[in-house]
Amino acid sequence: MTVGVDRFEGYRDAVREAGGRVRQRLVVNGDFGKESGARAMRELTARAPDLDAVFVANDPMAMGPSKRCAPWDPASRRTSR
């Protein structure tokens, strides 16, 4: 699926333009489905509990992480749960 490749390349390019580097431990592949997105989010939050942004390949994959994420309060930099 080319949209997934395009989005990853966009993420990679944005990180590099900002002077950073892509940390492979924060890249998880999936199969473009909702359950795959949920599994990837569980893996990512286990690896990096302070994660504050996620890029996904498509809308169905985004449904998994959205159910796992708590509402964010940027003023306190904590979840509101």
Side-chain angles (χ1 to χ4, degrees):
M1 185 173 258
T2 147
V3 70
V5 172
D6 292 344
R7 288 185 182 182
F8 177 75
E9 288 175 353
Y11 160 73
R12 181 198 62 210
D13 294 347
V15 168
R16 286 179 179 165
E17 286 175 21
R21 64 177 179 78
V22 173
R23 293 180 284 169
Q24 287 303 314
R25 73 182 188 91
L26 298 181
V27 176
V28 178
N29 294 317
D31 66 8
F32 304 101
K34 182 176 165 183
E35 292 307 315
S36 176
R39 178 194 52 76
M41 191 63 178
R42 284 190 300 274
E43 222 174 293
L44 287 170
T45 55
R47 294 177 188 179
D50 60 342
L51 200 63
D52 62 2
V54 177
F55 285 85
V56 297
N58 61 18
D59 290 343
M61 282 191 80
M63 295 301 293
S66 69
K67 290 186 174 217
R68 180 148 173 88
C69 295
W72 179 254
D73 177 5
S76 69
R77 294 197 44 85
R78 296 186 175 159
T79 59
S80 61
R81 278 194 211 172

